[in-house]
């Protein structure tokens, strides 16, 4: 299998962890093929950057596993030009994938040094079209609301109904984890008027969303 062994680690990740597990959308696969994940993990773990697992990015936070990033991105129903609020910038890997899809990303992070590092990282990679904000994302970003899409990369105890009804456009889509800290569910939420239609995407484990209407920082 010469062909297989000469595949890059990134191509192998796309094939084994994404396509083999049902990620079908070509634009999502292409976006993930274009982002160098090794640049988003800690220096000492670069050789494992394409394994399908979450990894530490310092400050008690993690970069999500590639399959979950792909699933969330696909279920967000991405399209160029759409405005997306991302809560939980972390390493900026998901941010970069959304930007690669031509989306206008508004990303919020509550850990200042992480946000600063990520800002620099994405600038070095030449990724533009991203607006960054330091602060508690559970309140959203009212100045730029409503958004076409909302993606939350940290787990809240419950669905953030108020945020979604106030800052997601009618017909818009959100993807987020919610539930008990050790048993969260990933949801796709579609807003229809004052209703939120939810689809269960399966069990997940994210770091906690810390802030108003979410978990305490302890
Ligand atoms: N998608 C990111 C995953 C980040 S982990 C990646 O690929 O790297 C989740 C992030 O959410 C953490 O960095 C954490 O600090 C942040 N976070 C938690 N609660 C938050 C809040 N209320 N507002 C903004 N960011 C928050």
């Amino acid at each position: 299998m010469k062909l297989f062994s000469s595949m890059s680690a990134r191509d192998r990740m796309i094939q084994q962890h994404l396509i083999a597990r049902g990620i079908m959308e070509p634009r999502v696969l292409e976006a993930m093929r274009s982002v160098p994940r090794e640049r988003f993990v800690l220096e000492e773990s670069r050789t494992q950057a394409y394994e399908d697992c979450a990894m530490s990015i310092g400050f008690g936070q993690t970069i999500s596993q590639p399959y979950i990033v792909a699933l969330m991105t696909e279920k967000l129903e991405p399209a160029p030009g759409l405005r997306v609020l991302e809560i939980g910038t972390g390493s900026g890997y998901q941010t970069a994938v959304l930007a690669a899809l031509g989306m206008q990303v508004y990303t919020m992070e509550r850990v200042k040094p992480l946000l600063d590092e990520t800002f620099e990282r994405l600038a070095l990679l030449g990724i533009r079209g991203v607006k960054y904000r330091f602060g508690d994302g559970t309140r959203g970003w009212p100045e730029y609301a409503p958004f076409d899409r909302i993606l939350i990369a940290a787990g809240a105890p419950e669905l953030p109904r108020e945020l979604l009804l106030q800052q997601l456009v009618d017909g818009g889509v959100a993807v987020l984890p919610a539930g008990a800290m050790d048993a969260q569910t990933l949801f796709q939420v579609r807003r229809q008027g004052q209703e939120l239609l939810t689809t269960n995407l399966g069990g997940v484990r994210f770091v906690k969303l810390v802030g108003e209407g979410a978990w305490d920082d302890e």
Side-chain angles (χ1 to χ4, degrees), residues 40 57 59 61-64 69 86-95 108-111 114 133 135-139 151 153-154 206-212 214:
F40 294 77
I57 52 172
F59 310 98
Q61 308 303 329
T62 53
I63 176 173
S64 304
V69 173
E86 180 192 35
I87 301 172
T89 316
S91 70
Y93 180 68
Q94 173 80 71
T95 317
M108 298 185 69
E109 172 57 57
R110 65 178 287 279
V111 178
L114 253 186
R133 179 166 173 173
D136 179 3
T138 61
R139 301 170 186 189
L151 184 148
F206 277 80
V207 297
K208 61 185 181 179
L209 186 73
V210 176
E212 230 178 77

Side-chain angles (χ1 to χ4, degrees), residues 72-91:
M72 291 180 81
T73 307
E74 189 172 72
K75 297 299 180 185
L76 198 63
E77 301 179 8
L82 292 185
R83 299 168 69 247
V84 53
L85 173 66
E86 180 192 35
I87 301 172
T89 316
S91 70

